Amino acid sequence: MVRVGVNGYGTIGKRVALAVLKQDDMSLVGVVKKNADYTALQARKLGIKIYAPTEDDMKKFEDSGVKVEGTLRDLLEGVDVIVDATPGGMGEQYRKLYDQFKVKQVFQGGEKPEVAEVSFSSLCNYSEALGKRSVRVVSCNTTGLLRIICVLNANSPVERVKAVIIRRAADPKEVKRGPINSIELDPPKAPSHHAKDVKTVIPWVKITTVAVAVPTTLMHMHHVTLKVSKKLTKSDVIAVLEEAPRVMLVNAEKTGITGTAGIVEASRDLRLRYDVPELVVFEDSVSVEDDEISLFQAIHQESIVVPENIDAIRALIPLELDPAKSIGKTDRALELNKRLW
Ligand code: NAD
């Protein structure tokens, strides 16, 4: 059993911690929490051990009557891998400490690529992370773009990609972020940073991205156009996506689901926290013109990177050399499937 710790128990950290608990080849030693809020009490209810970043933080927990086992340093003594899910940019500050304790490191997409040896996406470059000291699981939008590119590329080499990214304004808990009543160019200047981030994983791809932020918290949506070198029909593309791991096809005509609210509502009825770690491709939106495939895909920003974090842990050790086997194992443990109905 690989011993895992999670530093930062927010949107991503709490999901990765629960995902680790569901694996039979890794154990969760504990999580580092900054504040003694309700999520600390929930973690304790789930039997998860809590550590504080520093001794000063530990006092806050003790004053609130929430039991903590020690500090981050104590946690690092007892783990093989630390998953850093602290706010973007903070992982870089922690890196030296992780090195000092000689633990393997998984960082998140809010960090600069230089934080780790490899930027990671399970379906694209699992093997590059085998036995490495550190990886950075790329952001939610980048993970979504990489999934569609690498799945299609395995069937017909992708020559060029153009994507329009419609970003959610904030996560549901982030009440102070916006926009509330605008469609904001985000960033105003083209291209957006996503294209560069995709290239940190697959440098060979020609890609351009632009992005806007819209007043919603549920999911991101992308319109992606991929020029491929071997001609595929619309039904070829749908068959490829039907077979691919971590991709869910939604047929609007058959299901009545025509957008992110429908996906989330269907998931609310079936899943914990309505998480949808699969990339959701709208089947009816798939169109093929000559050598260009285009489609709409939706990304649940809070959960899409969770299975990638589990695969990253497996690759770093390495627990599993075969990417397909790790992906299959993770997906079975997380009960990812192809349908929400
Ligand atoms: P978050 O703010 O929800 O969680 C971060 C947690 O770290 C919070 O609980 C905070 O209290 C805690 N924290 C703050 N300072 C700390 C410290 N010194 N030591 C330990 N913990 C500390 O953030 P998040 O959305 O989970 O983002 C984490 C990382 O994941 C970022 O790099 C982000 O870019 C990336 N990411 C976020 C999303 C998303 O949509 N939320 C998607 C993909 C990747």
Side-chain angles (χ1 to χ4, degrees), residues 103-130:
V103 294
K104 302 237 175 184
Q105 301 145 29
V106 179
F107 294 97
Q108 309 304 315
E111 303 299 323
K112 294 202 173 114
E114 299 74 39
V115 77
E117 290 170 294
V118 180
S119 285
F120 181 83
S121 166
S122 307
L123 296 177
C124 298
N125 70 339
Y126 180 94
S127 305
E128 280 177 39
L130 288 173

Side-chain angles (χ1 to χ4, degrees), residues 37 205-206 220 308:
D37 58 13
V205 77
K206 286 187 187 150
H220 302 294
E308 263 66 5

Side-chain angles (χ1 to χ4, degrees), residues 7 9-12 53 85-87 90 94 108 110 168 171 173 301:
N7 186 17
Y9 194 68
T11 303
I12 302 299
T86 57
M90 200 172 274
Y94 273 122
Q108 309 304 315
R168 58 88 177 99
D171 287 346
K173 70 174 186 186
Q301 74 278 357

Side-chain angles (χ1 to χ4, degrees), residues 20 27 90 111 116 138 142 164 183 187 226 253 255 265 291 298 301 318 322 339:
V20 169
S27 65
M90 200 172 274
E111 303 299 323
V138 290
T142 308
V164 179
I183 299 171
L226 305 103
E253 207 180 320
T255 61
E265 187 65 7
D291 54 1
Q301 74 278 357
D322 181 345
R339 296 276 175 263

